[in-house]
Amino acid sequence: MTNQDIFRELTNITPAYILDAAPRAESASRRRSRLLRWGSLAACICLVAVLAIHIKVAFTPAQMTDVFREGTCMELTDLAQLPARYDGAALVEGLGAKSYEFYYKEGGDPTDPADWYSLLVSEGIGNGQVVLHCMFGDPDLEDWKVDMVFTKKATETRVIHGVEVQIARQQPSLRAEYWYYTIFKYDGVVYDLRTLSDDAGYVDEVLERMLGELE
Amino acid sequence: MDDRDIIKLYLARDEEAIAETQRKYGRYCHYVALRITGSEQDAEELVNDACLRAWNTIPPHDPESLKAYVGMLTRRLAVNRLEENTAAKRSGHAAAPLEELSECLPDNAEGNLPESVALRDSLDRFVKALSRRDRRVFLQRYWYACPVAEVAADCGMTVSHVTVVLLRLRKKLKAHLEKEGFSP
């Protein structure tokens, strides 16, 4: 058996999984005939300068700190299974997730919060998709803030239940829904929450579920 | 036109079926082929070949999802083309995901040539057992041959998190294949 055999035989797995995993960028891929491509180019050339600025603003990727420490992973079905008490757990519980990934230092003691790296939730909740990274060890929030390089319009800072939350949005591709990126810090833990939904109010709903627990 | 109507055209041997398939799923098939071969020219040829293959195989086949069916036909043809191109020293976009999959080979598996059907079923069981998030990450990387950065953007994850998840999934797949008897 070779890696090519695995790559080849993956072709015929259950079709529903293939369709479910279809990248959203696929819907934005373009297949044009040469004639159409050149025709479009000629027709649009005078608009390029204006559009270029607009597209740059709209599609510049969010720049975020990307430090995901591997460590050892423990899969949990309930936050009560966390090896030690964690004060901010109520925020995560507010999401009502059914599975969690808990990462801690390789060879470290999972009952000692000093060895904790992160807690992750990634699942469909309500009418959308949530990816939440909780970074332990009192990281500097400034390192994690979203930086939309060419525009400040796409980011905003709101105070929700006394917590300052930075919110940004980004579209992976032209026809895809928006990902909302939010960053906030509470009790020494940085929360990197991302939501995907057709409903623009979904991010507020998720933030309310989490931060509403503080009251 | 919905899938069922297009399939009826195939079953009635109406050549409009090919044009409708191209119109509805040509872009999807092109995406699949382009990701694997990395060549625009190959991708365009493969989409036409896949539609022709659909014409030749429906009937007897009567797929539940036309999109999945032509996507699978396209991928199969694209993998063949990738192998031809690799033999001719022209590697495609899928070279990196393919290389990564060598980490999943069970130890001492060289020379062991299991039935492809058994491997296919085993891979299906592996994929089925994954969480939805892990399944999306795994299939986007190894079925669609997407770059890691694109998987990360699509799944709302950081690049390094996707890298870590893929590493864990490759280890899991290796253990799964060994458990299912793919190593001596």
Side-chain angles (χ1 to χ4, degrees), chain B residues 47-62:
Chain B
V47 174
N48 292 332
D49 291 352
C51 290
L52 189 63
R53 193 65 70 94
W55 174 257
N56 290 333
T57 53
I58 308 174
H61 287 289
D62 184 0

Side-chain angles (χ1 to χ4, degrees), chain A residues 47-69:
Chain A
L47 295 173
V48 164
V50 176
L51 287 177
I53 295 166
H54 175 76
I55 288 167
K56 209 169 193 180
V57 166
F59 296 102
T60 298
Q63 304 293 305
M64 301 180 76
T65 304
D66 189 5
V67 184
F68 189 85
R69 293 181 291 180

Side-chain angles (χ1 to χ4, degrees), chain B residues 1-76:
Chain B
M1 191 179 278
D2 71 22
D3 280 13
R4 211 52 245 167
D5 293 331
I6 301 174
I7 289 170
K8 276 181 193 160
L9 291 177
Y10 277 110
L11 297 173
R13 309 311 293 154
D14 183 338
E15 289 183 11
E16 188 58 22
I18 297 177
E20 281 298 329
T21 306
Q22 283 259 19
R23 229 185 322 272
K24 197 167 179 191
Y25 297 123
R27 199 162 62 196
Y28 171 68
C29 294
H30 182 264
Y31 179 89
V32 171
L34 184 62
R35 277 276 163 255
I36 291 174
T37 63
S39 156
E40 185 72 36
Q41 194 189 336
D42 281 347
E44 293 203 4
E45 275 176 38
L46 292 172
V47 174
N48 292 332
D49 291 352
C51 290
L52 189 63
R53 193 65 70 94
W55 174 257
N56 290 333
T57 53
I58 308 174
H61 287 289
D62 184 0
E64 238 172 73
S65 162
L66 185 61
K67 182 178 181 179
Y69 187 68
V70 290
M72 285 160 74
L73 291 175
T74 306
R75 189 182 191 274
R76 200 174 298 160

Side-chain angles (χ1 to χ4, degrees), chain B:
Chain B
M1 191 179 278
D2 71 22
D3 280 13
R4 211 52 245 167
D5 293 331
I6 301 174
I7 289 170
K8 276 181 193 160
L9 291 177
Y10 277 110
L11 297 173
R13 309 311 293 154
D14 183 338
E15 289 183 11
E16 188 58 22
I18 297 177
E20 281 298 329
T21 306
Q22 283 259 19
R23 229 185 322 272
K24 197 167 179 191
Y25 297 123
R27 199 162 62 196
Y28 171 68
C29 294
H30 182 264
Y31 179 89
V32 171
L34 184 62
R35 277 276 163 255
I36 291 174
T37 63
S39 156
E40 185 72 36
Q41 194 189 336
D42 281 347
E44 293 203 4
E45 275 176 38
L46 292 172
V47 174
N48 292 332
D49 291 352
C51 290
L52 189 63
R53 193 65 70 94
W55 174 257
N56 290 333
T57 53
I58 308 174
H61 287 289
D62 184 0
E64 238 172 73
S65 162
L66 185 61
K67 182 178 181 179
Y69 187 68
V70 290
M72 285 160 74
L73 291 175
T74 306
R75 189 182 191 274
R76 200 174 298 160
L77 292 165
V79 171
N80 289 343
R81 184 64 60 91
L82 176 71
E83 286 173 2
E84 288 164 21
N85 289 350
T86 306
K89 310 282 185 216
R90 299 187 303 266
S91 56
H93 282 190
L98 190 56
E99 180 62 33
E100 287 165 17
L101 282 174
S102 59
E103 293 170 27
C104 307
L105 297 175
D107 290 334
N108 308 316
E110 211 172 329
N112 175 28
L113 293 171
E115 291 289 325
S116 65
V117 174
L119 178 57
R120 185 182 317 164
D121 290 348
S122 179
L123 289 170
D124 201 55
R125 281 191 291 277
F126 171 75
V127 168
K128 195 174 283 185
L130 297 177
S131 68
R132 183 165 181 249
R133 194 281 312 270
D134 284 359
R135 193 157 52 225
R136 280 185 67 87
V137 170
F138 183 81
L139 292 179
Q140 286 194 4
R141 182 66 176 152
Y142 300 118
W143 202 96
Y144 288 97
C146 293
V148 171
E150 205 172 294
V151 178
D154 197 86
C155 297
M157 296 159 71
T158 64
V159 169
S160 53
H161 184 203
V162 170
T163 308
V164 167
V165 167
L166 286 170
L167 182 73
R168 281 202 299 121
L169 290 172
R170 289 197 297 272
K171 283 180 187 166
K172 236 181 194 177
L173 177 57
K174 181 178 178 177
H176 169 85
L177 291 173
E178 284 178 350
K179 193 177 156 201
E180 296 229 334
F182 284 91
S183 63

Side-chain angles (χ1 to χ4, degrees), chain A residues 73-123:
Chain A
C73 178
M74 192 185 278
E75 291 182 12
L76 315 174
T77 53
D78 193 312
L79 279 184
Q81 293 169 349
L82 267 176
R85 185 174 156 69
Y86 149 49
D87 285 340
L91 274 71
V92 185
E93 273 166 358
L95 290 174
K98 293 180 180 64
S99 64
Y100 307 86
E101 286 170 41
F102 167 59
Y103 289 86
Y104 63 96
K105 191 175 168 184
E106 185 103 46
D109 176 6
T111 62
D112 179 3
D115 285 346
W116 289 14
Y117 283 172
S118 57
L119 178 70
L120 258 72
V121 174
S122 175
E123 64 182 66

